[in-house]
Amino acid sequence: MFKLSKRLQGLPPYLFLEIDKAKRKARLEGRDIIDFGIGDPDQPTPKHIIEALHKASCDPANHHYALDQGMPCLRKAISDWYKRRFNVGLDPETEILPLIGSKEGIAHFPLAFLNEGDYSLVPDPCYPPYKAGTILAGARPYLMPLREENAFLPDLKKIPLSILKKAKLIYINYPNNPTAAVAEEGFYKDIVKFAIKNKIIVISDLAYSEIAYDGYKPVSFLEVEGARDVAIEFHSLSKTYNMAGWRLGWASGNKDLILALAKVKSNLDSGIFSAIQLAGVAALEGKQEDTENMCRIYQERRDILMQGLKSLGWQIKPLKAAFYLWIRTPKGMDSIKFANFLLEKADIIVTPGVGFGKYGEGYIRMTLTVPGERIIEALKRLKKLKW
Ligand SMILES: *Cc1c(COP(=O)(O)O)cnc(C)c1O
């Protein structure tokens, strides 16, 4: 009776339907499922952060509507963190905006700049809100394939001039979900040049800046000269401090872009619970050992899983950052078929690559949010499989 809006109808189809159904069925049957499909840290939030929330939540001063632009102490903590981590100085007043998780900001940002007929340049495969945010703003995503032969970086030269004329935004995300690819300064410099030449806003999603291995340190797009004229960068506390359910992130970068996002948000939400903001201050200003330990745990799991899969003859790329293995499917099997096969024959859940976009076909994603002993059990099961 009620017809959905064109915007909602225009969203990409949900491709995990079949596998979701199979997952539910397997769980109902009481099968011993090992789930490599979850992109949510499995470890708890560090204790000092929980204690900060508890203390702040007991203070009635924190029970009111929060300021739209975030508490000054949180913006200062973010600015100090940026300086320490990337040696980039940001004005807490104008260049930082706390968010109810970074997904919220990423999905709302296009409302500030896209009109009907405009394009955003979206990597494919990608984190789904890039496409969804564009479509919900009434514009169209232009897909930039991320191909293995190009180290999963977009090839800017392949974008047609006719699209460039109508493109307003470009999304980049390194360390990348789902491919786990990383980017270096050279690529970022090219993006800055590209953005200035074509008058395109750069959206850098840095959710995995702190999840890295073997001493590798991901760089911020804002470190590159000229980046602050064209870019907004999104950060999240979800992965860094195991705070996915808390909903806390931020945007930083060009002040006009920050102001525009703040304007959109002031019409949609009424700020972040102040106690959560104060817990965020405790996270950013407190000891960082928990994050280091967590990376060590992921690294151990990575080594067990990669060595195990390699010994089974799977082709595995090195993993420097983020917690995803992006693995080619066997010859003759597409990603949904292979994911279903692993679920039916081994009670193992993986994410089919096509769920992240059509250029994700031919791959599956496995996450490192599974304890080591379960990874060993999964490897045992895989060893017995034949296809
Ligand atoms: C997990 C993730 C985020 C973080 O989302 P929050 O809303 O901050 O929890 C952002 N971008 C990517 C690519 C992610 O994988």
Side-chain angles (χ1 to χ4, degrees), residues 182-195:
V182 296
E184 298 313 327
E185 244 185 287
F187 169 74
Y188 283 170
K189 282 182 178 156
D190 291 345
I191 294 276
V192 171
K193 270 189 239 154
F194 170 86

Side-chain angles (χ1 to χ4, degrees), residues 283-322:
L284 292 165
E285 290 186 343
K287 62 187 170 79
Q288 303 297 308
E289 280 86 354
D290 297 295
T291 305
E292 287 158 25
N293 287 335
M294 187 179 68
C295 285
R296 250 191 306 270
I297 292 172
Y298 290 137
Q299 188 170 320
E300 279 166 26
R301 294 172 179 176
R302 174 199 71 170
D303 294 341
I304 299 170
L305 185 57
M306 295 215 324
Q307 275 159 23
L309 293 176
K310 272 187 194 161
S311 75
L312 298 177
W314 293 35
Q315 282 189 11
I316 306 292
K317 298 176 290 292
L319 180 72
K320 279 183 161 176

Side-chain angles (χ1 to χ4, degrees), residues 101-103 127 130 173 177 205 207-208 236 238-239 247 324:
S102 65
K103 180 180 186 177
Y127 182 54
Y130 308 157
N173 165 221
N177 177 12
D205 180 352
Y208 296 95
S236 170
S238 298
K239 317 291 168 28
R247 311 314 301 134
Y324 303 111

Side-chain angles (χ1 to χ4, degrees), residues 158-380:
K158 292 242 167 86
I159 304 166
L161 202 64
S162 58
I163 297 289
L164 285 180
K165 280 188 191 147
K166 293 190 230 161
K168 300 270 171 70
L169 315 173
I170 182 170
Y171 292 84
I172 52 171
N173 165 221
Y174 297 98
N176 182 256
N177 177 12
T179 69
V182 296
E184 298 313 327
E185 244 185 287
F187 169 74
Y188 283 170
K189 282 182 178 156
D190 291 345
I191 294 276
V192 171
K193 270 189 239 154
F194 170 86
I196 292 171
K197 181 167 171 230
N198 297 293
K199 297 196 175 60
I200 291 175
I201 297 164
V202 180
I203 299 172
S204 165
D205 180 352
L206 206 53
Y208 296 95
S209 70
E210 306 314 300
I211 312 297
Y213 314 112
D214 309 317
Y216 175 70
K217 284 265 183 204
V219 292
S220 158
F221 187 71
L222 300 182
E223 287 180 54
V224 178
E225 205 187 317
R228 275 156 81 181
D229 295 331
V230 293
I232 184 165
E233 188 158 78
F234 287 91
H235 287 259
S236 170
L237 278 74
S238 298
K239 317 291 168 28
T240 308
Y241 302 107
N242 297 331
M243 289 173 73
W246 296 55
R247 311 314 301 134
L248 190 58
W250 76 81
S252 38
N254 180 276
K255 65 178 179 0
D256 297 330
L257 304 181
I258 293 289
L259 193 64
L261 178 58
K263 191 166 178 185
V264 171
K265 277 172 56 62
S266 70
N267 288 287
L268 291 172
D269 65 66
S270 300
I272 309 158
F273 181 25
S274 301
I276 290 183
Q277 297 193 52
L278 290 166
V281 173
L284 292 165
E285 290 186 343
K287 62 187 170 79
Q288 303 297 308
E289 280 86 354
D290 297 295
T291 305
E292 287 158 25
N293 287 335
M294 187 179 68
C295 285
R296 250 191 306 270
I297 292 172
Y298 290 137
Q299 188 170 320
E300 279 166 26
R301 294 172 179 176
R302 174 199 71 170
D303 294 341
I304 299 170
L305 185 57
M306 295 215 324
Q307 275 159 23
L309 293 176
K310 272 187 194 161
S311 75
L312 298 177
W314 293 35
Q315 282 189 11
I316 306 292
K317 298 176 290 292
L319 180 72
K320 279 183 161 176
F323 45 50
Y324 303 111
L325 265 62
W326 187 242
I327 305 169
R328 269 189 194 281
T329 58
K331 272 212 170 62
M333 266 207 234
D334 69 27
S335 61
I336 289 188
K337 199 166 166 198
F338 190 48
N340 274 323
F341 172 81
L342 292 177
L343 178 56
E344 289 320 312
K345 302 286 191 234
D347 293 336
I348 289 172
I349 293 175
V350 301
T351 310
V354 73
F356 301 100
K358 64 178 178 181
Y359 296 100
E361 186 50 277
Y363 293 87
I364 54 155
R365 191 192 75 174
M366 290 179 86
T367 68
L368 298 175
T369 53
V370 176
E373 65 274 13
R374 297 295 283 163
I375 295 176
I376 292 167
E377 167 63 23
L379 288 165
K380 269 191 214 151

Side-chain angles (χ1 to χ4, degrees), residues 17 97 109 121 156 280 286:
L17 224 54
L97 180 67
F109 186 75
L121 306 175
L156 303 174

Side-chain angles (χ1 to χ4, degrees), residues 1-5 9:
M1 186 163 72
F2 302 110
K3 204 154 168 233
L4 292 176
S5 66
Q9 288 181 38

